[in-house]
Amino acid sequence: MTDGTSDADESRPEDARPDGGTGARGADDVALDPWGSSTVSDYRKLFDQFGIERFEEVLDEVPDPHYLMRRGVIFGHREYREVARAMREGDPFAALSGFMPTGDPHIGHKLVFDEIIWHQQQGGDAYGLIADLEAHSARGLSWAEIDEHTRNYVLSLLALGFDPEEGELYRQSTNREVQDLAFELGIEANFSELQAIYDFDGETDVSHMQSVVTQTADILYPQLDEPVPTVIPVGPDQDPHMRLTRDLAQRMRFFGVREAYASFEADPAERRLLGKAFEARDEYAEDPDRPRCVEAADYLEDEREADATGAEERTIESTVTMLQEAGKEPLRPRVRVFDRRATDEAFEALIEAIDGEKRVYDNHVDAFDLSRAEAEELAREVELDHGGYGFLPPSSIYHRFMTGLTGGKMSSSVPASHISLLDDPEEGYEKVKAATTGGRETAEKQRELGGEADECPVYELYAYLLAGDDDEFAKEVYDECVGGERLCGDCKEQAARLMEEFLEDHQAKRAEWEDRLDELDIELDSPRKRG
Ligand code: TRP
Ligand code: SF4
């Protein structure tokens, strides 16, 4: 799900804090499952186990960041730096996310709607897609149900400010280009891989697997005309799809680029050692302008540390052996462009395009006068000239799951736990009034100890939605709460009023769009048989 909720278990992001800090608690294992059992009790594990990066580390590079970024609701990313750079420099970039039309859109989905819209307002090409193939195959919804929900998602996205003239709305089932791309990408992925990533087994139906490659195609769709940095705003449960797509995007590339020090191939650990030997050449080479491989081999053997681990030992062994075999060949840094799946013509064109000194091998070219970035650019240009996609690895940003109003998790299937964007404003008001709080048992205690805003679903409503762009207001609620000046009754009354107003306003805008739906390109009635 991208909707800010997690669909299974009773767990919640215990460390949701306004400042994005992590209350180091839960020790559960993190499982990221796009179809259900994701719970995130400890966001730190996402960094350590899955290599998601902390959003705060790129925050400074984002021009005029969204309040969800400033408040740490968006907590993680993969390679968002590239998108931020494009934004700063006025280069093209794109944002895309998708929604499974399995129920009503609710305040969790609003986070993602807002993220897409914000990127659009920052100048990005924006895409909102309806994952109807996924809903039909993975969740078993009928096309009639899907059509009804599709309309509702589209209306809310528009009501919140998505500009359909500038951006694109589509549904998977009618996007031929996406399906064609999915087919191509599917050639690069096999069953064992899907099994490892998603726990698929012999019972998994083929269409469910197809919906996975469809999602990878969705994610790369903004790059079909031209490679552009693309951000996919999602919940962390979607990260497996990001990892798969980033891999597939890479496998579709004609060429790979890496650094090298000699004619032979080395793995990353060996390369680090070679780099170290090259840097130290003054210490051992007879002619430091031409350090020989054998000399470097001796150096590395002498430098071998007594406390090296088994793996380090093996890396030293293999590196030394390669260096010895290379003998008198000079150790010399270069950029290596290797052929992954290029045609002969494209490989020839690449060789031709490399300026300066180069050495050509069967499967790669070594360039001595190019930087790595220059080589990457060149490789992409040649690929594009020869009919390749030239995909950039897609970036992603991850937001925290919202806590349910009744405590526990916010779930689409528990109406009292969330506020639907279609709820009667009155009903929204009532749900907030009935919400669990982080308050103390008595008003007296609350004045004395202060409330626990960090544990309070009502505070979350302020931070994620009701305070809008007004950081001062959000902070005021927080400070007053923890300082004991704010009592839950009044606080909820204020939040409930704001929610009521938000829903009134949102629904009025939906109604305006309702009359204009025929202006849109997206098909709202599926031509498929009622299944
Ligand atoms: N799998 C997503 C969900 O469960 C929906 C989706 C389909 C999606 N394609 C996408 C999300 C592309 C982000 C990008 O909600
Ligand atoms: Fe939550 Fe408001 Fe009560 Fe604080 S005062 S615990 S923010 S409801």
Side-chain angles (χ1 to χ4, degrees):
M1 271 156 319
T2 57
D3 63 359
T5 68
S6 168
D7 244 11
D9 308 36
E10 284 309 297
S11 112
R12 50 179 280 214
E14 290 174 309
D15 51 353
R17 292 195 349 191
D19 56 358
T22 43
R25 245 167 307 223
D28 311 6
D29 266 339
V30 189
L32 290 179
D33 175 354
W35 298 284
S37 59
S38 302
T39 59
V40 180
S41 55
D42 185 347
Y43 283 84
R44 285 174 317 163
K45 294 232 164 126
L46 298 177
F47 305 126
D48 302 341
Q49 288 180 8
F50 295 100
I52 291 174
E53 293 180 77
R54 290 178 158 73
F55 194 82
E56 38 183 46
E57 282 156 22
V58 279
L59 185 60
D60 283 353
E61 299 172 35
V62 183
D64 205 3
H66 190 271
Y67 69 82
L68 293 172
M69 297 173 171
R70 304 198 299 264
R71 291 178 203 157
V73 178
I74 293 171
F75 69 92
H77 76 103
R78 285 188 192 272
E79 231 175 314
Y80 190 63
R81 208 158 260 123
E82 271 308 296
V83 177
R85 187 200 48 73
M87 223 180 271
R88 280 196 316 274
E89 295 175 6
D91 286 346
F93 66 95
L96 169 144
S97 196
F99 307 91
M100 242 209 284
T102 51
D104 289 347
H106 58 62
I107 54 175
H109 298 107
K110 179 180 180 290
L111 301 181
V112 185
F113 293 149
D114 286 346
E115 291 175 72
I116 299 176
I117 294 163
W118 181 80
H119 282 93
Q120 182 174 46
Q121 290 163 350
Q122 303 302 302
D125 284 331
Y127 300 78
L129 72 98
I130 302 297
D132 56 356
L133 293 179
E134 186 181 359
H136 191 56
S137 63
R139 289 281 170 78
L141 268 81
S142 73
W143 288 104
E145 292 167 308
I146 286 173
D147 282 355
E148 181 197 332
H149 298 139
T150 295
R151 185 178 299 261
N152 281 327
Y153 276 87
V154 167
L155 281 172
S156 278
L157 184 55
L158 293 165
L160 289 168
F162 185 87
D163 177 352
E165 303 268 307
E166 290 296 320
E168 182 174 341
L169 297 171
Y170 73 85
R171 52 197 295 168
Q172 290 175 326
S173 65
T174 57
N175 191 327
R176 180 68 212 224
E177 284 180 301
V178 161
Q179 290 173 31
D180 288 350
L181 178 57
F183 190 84
E184 299 296 330
L185 292 165
I187 295 172
E188 292 296 321
N190 64 30
F191 177 66
S192 311
E193 189 173 19
L194 299 193
Q195 189 176 31
I197 300 176
Y198 301 107
D199 249 351
F200 284 174
D201 59 27
E203 300 296 306
T204 307
D205 65 78
V206 174
S207 296
H208 190 175
M209 293 189 232
Q210 193 180 335
S211 81
V212 168
V213 283
T214 304
Q215 177 153 353
T216 65
D218 288 329
I219 291 171
L220 295 169
Y221 177 63
Q223 301 197 54
L224 264 187
D225 284 341
E226 169 195 25
V228 280
T230 304
V231 60
I232 314 295
V234 276
D237 60 317
Q238 297 293 306
D239 187 55
H241 294 304
M242 287 311 304
R243 277 178 275 145
L244 175 63
T245 312
R246 287 168 60 86
D247 270 359
L248 294 182
Q250 165 110 329
R251 282 180 223 160
M252 297 299 278
R253 298 299 311 279
F254 281 16
F255 306 106
V257 176
R258 59 173 162 250
E259 268 130 27
Y261 289 91
S263 58
F264 52 81
E265 284 290 357
D267 68 23
E270 293 164 344
R271 238 175 283 148
R272 266 192 300 281
L273 268 189
L274 293 170
K276 178 180 152 199
F278 180 76
E279 290 314 318
R281 62 195 178 280
D282 283 343
E283 293 176 34
Y284 60 80
E286 210 176 288
D287 174 4
D289 286 338
R290 279 176 85 77
R292 308 281 179 183
C293 284
V294 275
E295 293 175 315
D298 292 344
Y299 166 78
L300 287 179
E301 275 203 312
D302 292 346
E303 285 293 293
R304 183 188 296 240
E305 302 196 6
D307 59 352
T309 63
E312 285 165 350
E313 274 293 331
R314 280 192 296 280
T315 304
I316 297 174
E317 281 313 320
S318 60
T319 311
V320 165
T321 308
M322 287 189 293
L323 285 167
Q324 280 165 345
E325 280 168 9
K328 294 220 147 130
E329 181 186 334
L331 201 59
R332 229 181 127 192
R334 65 200 69 190
V335 176
R336 175 160 299 162
V337 186
F338 58 96
D339 183 351
R340 208 185 254 121
R341 48 183 286 156
T343 55
D344 291 347
E345 264 175 31
F347 190 50
E348 286 305 318
L350 173 83
I351 295 167
E352 196 60 31
I354 290 177
D355 281 337
E357 190 184 341
K358 58 191 156 197
R359 203 154 295 170
V360 180
Y361 301 81
D362 265 1
N363 230 7
H364 66 259
V365 198
D366 283 358
F368 294 88
D369 302 321
L370 285 188
S371 70
R372 182 169 176 161
E374 286 165 337
E376 303 240 8
E377 203 184 312
L378 204 64
R380 179 169 283 110
E381 273 169 25
V382 172
E383 177 175 342
L384 290 170
D385 279 351
H386 287 78
Y389 297 103
F391 290 133
L392 294 162
S395 311
S396 47
I397 51 178
Y398 302 100
H399 57 75
R400 286 166 191 268
F401 292 130
M402 260 176 132
T403 309
L405 296 176
T406 43
K409 59 160 202 126
M410 185 178 283
S411 160
S412 323
S413 49
V414 184
S417 78
H418 71 265
I419 292 170
S420 157
L421 297 177
L422 312 184
D423 277 349
D424 246 16
E426 188 62 25
E427 197 181 338
Y429 174 93
E430 294 300 338
K431 282 186 184 174
V432 177
K433 290 285 274 199
T436 311
T437 71
R440 310 284 173 180
E441 300 92 85
T442 64
E444 216 165 84
K445 271 202 172 162
Q446 175 108 346
R447 287 202 187 88
E448 191 187 314
L449 302 168
E452 295 186 281
D454 289 328
E455 308 290 320
C456 178
V458 179
Y459 176 69
E460 245 180 59
L461 290 179
Y462 282 103
Y464 286 47
L465 190 153
L466 301 173
D469 202 39
D470 189 346
D471 286 350
E472 250 164 66
F473 177 39
K475 188 167 183 318
E476 185 182 299
V477 173
Y478 188 86
D479 291 345
E480 288 178 2
C481 169
V482 299
E485 297 147 52
R486 186 173 263 266
L487 298 183
C488 296
D490 289 348
C491 183
K492 287 210 276 188
E493 175 65 21
Q494 186 181 18
R497 286 270 164 248
L498 289 169
M499 185 61 77
E500 192 176 5
E501 281 166 29
F502 162 73
L503 289 172
E504 269 164 16
D505 174 66
H506 181 65
Q507 289 167 16
K509 290 187 177 131
R510 282 177 53 103
E512 284 170 30
W513 273 107
E514 198 120 30
D515 300 331
R516 301 175 51 193
L517 281 178
D518 51 354
E519 290 172 26
L520 305 177
D521 285 334
I522 186 169
E523 273 178 62
L524 293 169
D525 297 308
S526 172
R528 298 197 178 206
K529 291 214 192 302
R530 307 284 118 180

